[in-house]
Amino acid sequence: MLKRWSAAVLSGLLVLGAMGACGGENEAGSNGGNADDGKITMGFAQVGAESGWRTANTKSIQEAAAAAGIDLKFSDAQQKQENQIKAIRSYIAQKVDVIAFSPVVESGWDTVLKEAKDAKIPVILTDRAVDSKDTSLYKTFIGSDFVLEGKKAGEWLVKEYQGKTDTVNIVELQGTTGSAPANDRKAGFGDVIKADPKFKVIASQTGDFTRAKGKEVMEAFLKANPKIDVLYAHNDDMGLGAIEAIEAAGKKPGVDIKIITVDAVKDGMTALAAGKINFIVECSPLLGPQLMDLAKKVVKGETVEQRVLTEETTFTPEQAKAALPDRKY
Ligand code: AHR
C-alpha cells in the first residue's frame, strides 16, 4: 500500500518537474481540459523566441486565444525538441482539450504524438511539419508552403541575372538544422537555380534563425570567400545579422552583395525599403485566429482539412515602402 502511495507521489512529482522544465509556461488556464465550464483548454508548445517572426506568431496566438475565449497554456521550448516533448507530456497529464505545437525539427515525434492520441487529445500542427508517416497522429497542419517560398526566392534570382553569363557565387544561411523551413526553403531554392550552372552555392551553413548567429556565420563566409555575389538567408533575422557583418567588412549590402530573405517582418521590410535587402518572400506568422477556429472544430469532433495553407506574397523595395506603414508585425 505504502509502495503504491509513494509511486503515485513520485509520478506526480515527475509531471510537475516536466511542467517546470518547460520554461515560460503561463499561469493563466489553471483548469485542466474537459472542464465542466465548457471552456476549451489548449496546450501550446512554442519553438522559442528566436526571431521577430516567432515573437509575432506568439502574440497572434495569445491574442487570438483570448479573443476566442480559449484557455491557453503556453510554453517556450527555447529551440529544443526535448523541451517541447516535455511540454506536450505535461499537457497530456493535465488533460487539456487540444494540443497545438510548432515542431522545432521535423523528425522524432511519433512516440509523444501516439501518447496524445491514446489519451484522446487531438493535436494540431502549426507553422512547421513533422515527417511522421502516420498522419492520423494529428488532425490538421496549418502553415506556409516553405518549398514554394524557396522557389520564389530562386525565381527572383534567375530573373535578376537573366542574360548574364558570369558565375554567380551564392552563400546560404540556413534555418535551424532539421527544421521544416530550413529543409524546404533550401530544397525549393536549389530546385529552381539548378537549371542554370552559372549559379553556384559556394557556402551553406545554419544560422539557427537568429540575428547573432547570422552575423557570426556571415563573418566566416566573408573571410573564407573573396567573391560573394548573393546571400540567400532563410529568414529576415539572419539576413539582418549578416548585413552588420557585410557593413563591418566595408561592403555595401544590397549592392556589393545582393540579399534575399524570407518572412517580411517590420525590421526586414525596413532594410528592404532602404535597399540593404533586395527581395523578401513573405511568410505570415499571424496564424492565431485560424488556429483557434480549427481548435474549436476538432474539439467538437468536426472534420477539418488535413492541410490549411497560409496565403503569402513577395516584396521588392518599392513594394516594401508602400506596405510598411500598415505592416502589423
Ligand atoms: O517556422 C517559421 C520560421 O521560424 C520563420 O521563417 C523564422 O523566422 C522562424 O524562426
Side-chain angles (χ1 to χ4, degrees):
M1 179 67 188
L2 186 64
K3 252 194 205 158
R4 230 184 296 149
W5 186 84
S6 321
V9 170
L10 184 66
S11 73
L13 286 175
L14 283 174
V15 168
L16 285 174
M19 284 166 58
C22 295
E25 181 125 11
N26 79 13
E27 293 302 318
S30 48
N31 64 312
N34 311 314
D36 296 338
D37 60 4
K39 210 174 181 191
I40 293 172
T41 300
M42 170 188 282
F44 189 92
Q46 181 60 289
V47 170
E50 73 282 4
S51 63
W53 189 100
R54 189 64 56 197
T55 310
N57 180 247
T58 293
K59 191 165 174 265
S60 170
I61 287 158
Q62 289 173 335
E63 287 177 355
I70 289 179
D71 195 358
L72 182 71
K73 292 173 181 289
F74 182 88
S75 61
D76 171 342
Q78 293 162 13
Q79 295 238 68
K80 290 200 176 74
Q81 182 176 33
E82 77 232 43
N83 289 348
Q84 274 193 318
I85 292 176
K86 269 185 205 159
I88 293 170
R89 289 207 166 115
S90 91
Y91 296 146
I92 296 171
Q94 292 170 70
K95 297 188 170 44
V96 298
D97 299 299
V98 55
I99 291 172
F101 80 115
S102 175
V104 62
V105 291
E106 279 191 283
S107 52
W109 298 102
D110 287 28
T111 306
V112 73
L113 289 180
K114 177 105 188 2
E115 288 167 25
K117 191 179 175 187
D118 291 345
K120 300 198 175 6
I121 300 176
V123 172
I124 300 177
L125 302 180
T126 80
D127 161 37
R128 298 183 181 181
V130 297
D131 64 3
S132 304
K133 298 266 174 306
D134 181 358
T135 54
S136 78
L137 294 176
Y138 54 92
K139 294 287 175 197
T140 180
F141 164 35
I142 172 179
S144 312
D145 181 339
F146 296 136
V147 176
L148 185 64
E149 289 173 351
K151 283 192 173 157
K152 287 179 186 170
E155 279 158 10
W156 178 84
L157 193 64
V158 168
K159 230 170 143 199
E160 183 71 8
Y161 284 89
Q162 214 165 25
K164 299 193 175 133
T165 51
D166 288 353
T167 300
V168 180
N169 284 342
I170 304 164
V171 294
E172 179 179 29
L173 280 169
Q174 296 180 38
T176 304
T177 305
S179 69
N183 293 342
D184 294 353
R185 286 174 187 163
K186 181 173 180 53
F189 182 76
D191 252 15
V192 172
I193 62 161
K194 74 174 181 216
D196 189 337
K198 74 169 176 267
F199 294 115
K200 295 216 173 350
V201 178
I202 55 167
S204 180
Q205 211 177 301
T206 182
D208 218 7
F209 280 129
T210 69
R211 219 175 267 214
K213 204 75 202 295
K215 182 177 178 197
E216 187 188 310
V217 178
M218 190 69 202
E219 280 165 358
F221 284 167
L222 285 160
K223 273 190 197 133
N225 305 282
K227 184 183 174 282
I228 297 173
D229 301 301
V230 174
L231 162 67
Y232 168 44
H234 289 187
N235 80 343
D236 288 345
D237 279 83
M238 291 188 295
L240 291 164
I243 287 172
E244 289 176 32
I246 293 168
E247 286 176 335
K251 292 184 195 264
K252 256 189 126 182
V255 179
D256 297 329
I257 298 178
K258 293 205 194 306
I259 302 179
I260 313 166
T261 64
V262 184
D263 276 355
V265 295
K266 257 190 199 156
D267 286 356
M269 293 283 271
T270 306
L272 178 63
K276 294 187 179 192
I277 294 179
N278 305 80
F279 189 66
I280 301 186
V281 180
E282 187 183 40
C283 177
S284 175
L286 306 180
L287 305 177
Q290 270 175 297
L291 171 62
M292 300 309 148
D293 285 350
L294 287 167
K296 284 181 181 170
K297 286 183 182 157
V298 299
V299 169
K300 272 194 223 152
E302 289 176 20
T303 315
V304 292
E305 280 180 54
Q306 264 264 322
R307 179 75 168 101
V308 180
L309 271 173
T310 331
E311 270 185 41
E312 280 141 1
T313 184
T314 58
F315 293 97
T316 60
E318 285 316 308
Q319 290 165 331
K321 275 181 210 157
L324 258 172
D326 301 320
R327 202 72 185 152
K328 289 196 180 61
Y329 54 91

